Amino acid sequence: MLRRLNHIAIAVPDLDAATATYRDVLGARVGAPQALPEHGVTVVFVELDNTKVELLEPLGENSPIAAFLARNPLGGMHHVCYEVDDIEAVAAQLKASGARVLGDGRTKIGAHGKPVLFLHPKDFSGTLVELEQS
Amino acid sequence: MLRRLNHIAIAVPDLDAATATYRDVLGARVGAPQALPEHGVTVVFVELDNTKVELLEPLGENSPIAAFLARNPLGGMHHVCYEVDDIEAVAAQLKASGARVLGDGRTKIGAHGKPVLFLHPKDFSGTLVELEQS
């Protein structure tokens, strides 16, 4: 059911500074900042050989990462995204198992244009888990 | 310089429960627990198609993840490990850039038997970064 690790997301207070650190100190391939106002973030992709890291900076009012950064002003690992083959089947199985899907429990279109679900950190070892249709 | 994402590590208070969640709720392939007393953890590998997740439970006195779990009793994402081609060259470059390498600044043999470094979270967006010789 779980396939690839699609990405890990790191919330950062200063996207330019974090991008420069990954590019100049760690020597990573980084993309240009992309504003995603409908998701309340600006994102930079750090391209690794097998997956990617998404550096996220809040964008606009009510950014979904604002509260996290208020608690973690230096930034930190925000969530992990796993790909699944059939997200509707997974959603049904999660509901049957008692695991909590955030929001209204239905898939939404995520930042990559594919259906996603977010799972409650309390059910997954304190880790916010995103599932994305592969 | 940064190559593959080798793993993400999630510290957990109850390894059996976390393993069962990944196996039974998320349908992941999980291995058997491995005690690594010299690293102060017991680990279960969750195998994904392109990388792995390491579930870490404290083992023995002075486990390096004990303080993290005291602050995060449900568990949480503890560190991310990137592979690099030449870790000694990276260590020199990090030192030149002013980034802080934990410990005495020298590579150590990590849990996979390869040289590793850990970098200070304050220099990397609040994220504990492990670098491993690829």
Side-chain angles (χ1 to χ4, degrees):
Chain A
M1 188 161 123
L2 281 200
R3 305 300 306 239
R4 297 179 71 256
L5 176 73
N6 184 277
H7 65 270
I8 59 168
I10 299 177
V12 304
D14 181 334
L15 189 57
D16 288 344
T19 302
T21 297
Y22 267 81
R23 183 187 59 222
D24 302 334
V25 179
L26 293 176
R29 301 186 300 279
V30 301
Q34 298 177 36
L36 302 173
E38 71 278 24
H39 293 284
V41 295
T42 304
V43 60
V44 163
F45 294 107
V46 178
E47 298 290 346
L48 303 171
D49 286 2
N50 57 338
T51 188
K52 59 184 182 292
V53 177
E54 297 186 5
L55 304 175
L56 304 179
E57 184 186 63
L59 176 63
E61 305 293 323
N62 305 315
S63 170
I65 62 171
F68 179 89
L69 282 168
R71 289 194 307 275
N72 303 278
L74 294 171
M77 286 186 277
H78 183 264
H79 68 266
V80 56
C81 176
Y82 303 122
E83 296 178 11
V84 296
D85 285 330
D86 182 344
I87 200 163
E88 297 299 343
V90 172
Q93 181 173 325
L94 287 163
K95 186 177 282 188
S97 77
R100 287 164 281 186
V101 176
L102 298 188
D104 62 7
R106 298 186 192 167
T107 59
K108 292 189 172 48
I109 298 303
H112 308 136
K114 295 182 174 181
V116 301
L117 292 172
F118 281 91
L119 308 181
H120 200 301
K122 288 189 178 173
D123 295 329
F124 295 91
S125 305
T127 299
L128 178 59
V129 173
E130 180 181 12
L131 299 178
E132 181 177 294
Q133 176 74 48
S134 64
Chain B
M1 190 158 122
L2 282 201
R3 305 300 307 237
R4 297 179 71 257
L5 176 74
N6 185 276
H7 65 269
I8 60 169
I10 299 177
V12 305
D14 180 335
L15 190 57
D16 288 344
T19 301
T21 296
Y22 268 82
R23 182 187 60 223
D24 301 335
V25 180
L26 293 177
R29 301 186 299 278
V30 301
Q34 299 178 34
L36 302 174
E38 69 279 25
H39 294 283
V41 294
T42 303
V43 60
V44 163
F45 294 107
V46 178
E47 299 290 346
L48 304 172
D49 286 1
N50 58 338
T51 188
K52 60 184 182 292
V53 176
E54 296 186 5
L55 303 175
L56 304 178
E57 184 186 63
L59 176 63
E61 305 292 322
N62 305 316
S63 170
I65 62 171
F68 179 89
L69 282 168
R71 289 194 306 275
N72 303 277
L74 294 171
M77 285 186 277
H78 183 264
H79 68 266
V80 57
C81 177
Y82 303 122
E83 296 179 10
V84 296
D85 285 331
D86 182 345
I87 199 164
E88 296 299 345
V90 172
Q93 181 173 326
L94 287 163
K95 187 176 283 188
S97 77
R100 286 164 282 185
V101 176
L102 297 188
D104 63 8
R106 298 185 193 170
T107 60
K108 293 191 170 47
I109 298 303
H112 309 136
K114 295 183 174 180
V116 301
L117 291 173
F118 280 92
L119 309 181
H120 200 299
K122 289 190 177 173
D123 295 329
F124 295 91
S125 306
T127 300
L128 178 59
V129 173
E130 180 180 13
L131 299 178
E132 181 176 294
Q133 176 75 46
S134 65

